[in-house]
Amino acid sequence: MALDVLDDEALTTALVDSAREFGRLDVLHSHAGYQAEGNLEQVGIDDMDMSWRLNVRAHFIAARAAVGPMKAQGGGSIIITSSNSGVQFDREMIAYATTKHAVVAMTRQMAADYAGHNIRFNALCPGFIDTPFNAGFEAQMGGRDNLEGYITGNIPMGRWGTACEIGDSVLFLASDMSSFMTGHALVIDGGESI
């Protein structure tokens, strides 16, 4: 099912309807993002607004819709994708880094508020995974070759992460393997943020 996560009503309805159709909602992985490169003088107001709407607000709306069914059933796991940019700072990426830090803070706040309801909230913080989403970083660094050079020269493990590695991390956070973990920012970035 296609869904515009900027449409509050459609997003809420999709989650509530899913919980109703299947009788429960055990896991929400809220994964959406927008990247606008640039510093304070370079990022347009529209790009900053879109960063807040997609990188923070959409996750807030999704979590808000999921919490009701999860409270009613006695618990659940909510995973919100942030970025390793949410635990470090990226030069000339003010909109992206600011909103990704906000996602980590929001996730931790929700974890504190809902731990008593057995609802776990954790932030997933991937580093460089070789997907089209890196276009902003590629442009900022002056092309693919420069980005590749950054990956091999600045990430201690010297490589990109894979979508499968991120999938395994989501599975860990969704499952009982992480049953005593809440409010955590799980960083999967090959050591870039150390």
Side-chain angles (χ1 to χ4, degrees):
M1 166 174 96
L3 176 67
D4 179 358
V5 297
L6 295 176
D7 182 336
D8 296 351
E9 185 177 338
L11 179 55
T12 300
T13 299
L15 287 164
V16 170
D17 286 354
S18 292
R20 187 178 304 117
E21 179 181 347
F22 295 104
R24 56 189 302 115
L25 180 63
D26 294 304
V27 177
L28 167 65
H29 177 203
S30 188
H31 180 88
Y34 179 74
Q35 189 181 88
E37 69 274 1
N39 64 27
L40 177 63
E41 297 170 292
Q42 297 165 331
V43 171
I45 301 298
D46 289 345
D47 278 332
M48 182 54 112
D49 287 346
M50 179 58 82
S51 295
W52 278 101
R53 288 182 65 214
L54 195 52
N55 294 354
V56 183
R57 190 175 188 282
H59 298 301
F60 171 86
I61 298 298
R64 186 179 174 118
V67 143
M70 288 182 177
K71 279 173 67 175
Q73 71 196 25
S77 175
I78 296 180
I79 305 153
I80 301 176
T81 298
S82 176
S83 167
N84 71 343
S85 296
V87 297
Q88 65 179 6
F89 294 96
D90 292 314
R91 302 296 182 258
E92 298 187 352
M93 293 295 280
I94 190 169
Y96 190 70
T98 299
T99 56
K100 294 305 185 173
H101 275 263
V103 167
V104 170
M106 180 176 69
T107 302
R108 288 180 171 158
Q109 181 64 53
M110 292 185 293
D113 291 342
Y114 289 92
H117 295 282
N118 197 33
I119 302 172
R120 298 181 296 109
F121 286 84
N122 291 289
L124 183 67
C125 300
F128 280 103
I129 310 302
D130 197 7
T131 69
F133 192 73
N134 293 305
F137 287 109
E138 189 173 315
Q140 180 198 34
M141 292 180 181
R144 176 71 182 204
D145 288 342
N146 291 339
L147 178 55
E148 291 280 356
Y150 176 86
I151 300 292
T152 57
N154 293 288
I155 295 178
M157 292 184 79
R159 66 172 180 87
W160 296 90
T162 68
C164 287
E165 288 168 321
I166 299 306
D168 289 343
S169 301
V170 171
L171 178 60
F172 170 72
L173 292 173
S175 74
D176 286 340
M177 290 185 287
S178 62
S179 60
F180 198 52
M181 179 187 284
T182 194
H184 185 71
L186 183 60
V187 180
I188 308 105
D189 70 354
E192 181 187 17
S193 59
I194 23 182

